[in-house]
Amino acid sequence: MWRFALPGAESAAAIAIGDRVVAGGTEGIHNDYLIGMDLSTGAEVWRVWVGGPLDLPLVATAGTVYASVGGDSGVGVNLTGTPFLYAVDVASGAIRWRREGCVGPVAFVADASDERGIVAYVAGHRSASVLNATTG
């Protein structure tokens, strides 16, 4: 067992996928990040800045974690003034894509093997969006 302190995190979420644990945290106002840790050791493998505020929960499938930023948290929007949905590679922390205007939080992500197609569903502010989970 291990423990990892998320600097400044008043609220946080974590999700385990593959050999990673991905968590969201903050280092100040509108300075939220995702951090990937080794599942076995808790060592930090990667960290990616996403602006803020980070909406919870995080959702992951098929090697990708999805995070909504600047939506339903009640704090406001990120520094760009626009909410985004991020798709981040769980192994490397590389941003696969970022979709502008997606007000979250992420409600459901279909598995990549789903025969209906690879789509991410984002719900919030009385709306839902269907996105291609590979390209956004």
Side-chain angles (χ1 to χ4, degrees), residues 48-74:
V48 62
W49 178 80
V50 293
L54 184 63
D55 294 316
L56 303 176
L58 302 174
V59 177
T61 188
T64 302
V65 63
Y66 298 89
S68 176
V69 177
D72 284 345
S73 69

Side-chain angles (χ1 to χ4, degrees), residues 20 34 36 45-49 87-96:
R20 295 283 183 267
L34 295 175
V45 178
W46 53 262
R47 185 180 297 220
V48 62
W49 178 80
V88 177
D89 182 81
V90 170
S92 68
I95 297 173
R96 291 186 173 178

Side-chain angles (χ1 to χ4, degrees), residues 60-135:
T61 188
T64 302
V65 63
Y66 298 89
S68 176
V69 177
D72 284 345
S73 69
V75 179
V77 295
N78 59 21
L79 292 175
T80 66
T82 304
F84 287 96
L85 178 65
Y86 284 84
V88 177
D89 182 81
V90 170
S92 68
I95 297 173
R96 291 186 173 178
W97 53 261
R98 181 179 81 164
R99 177 72 181 254
E100 183 178 320
C102 293
V103 179
V106 179
F108 172 76
V109 178
D111 190 294
S113 64
D114 190 316
E115 67 278 357
R116 294 171 293 179
I118 305 171
V119 292
Y121 299 86
V122 183
H125 295 283
R126 293 180 232 111
S127 68
S129 300
V130 179
L131 305 172
N132 181 299
T134 303
T135 65

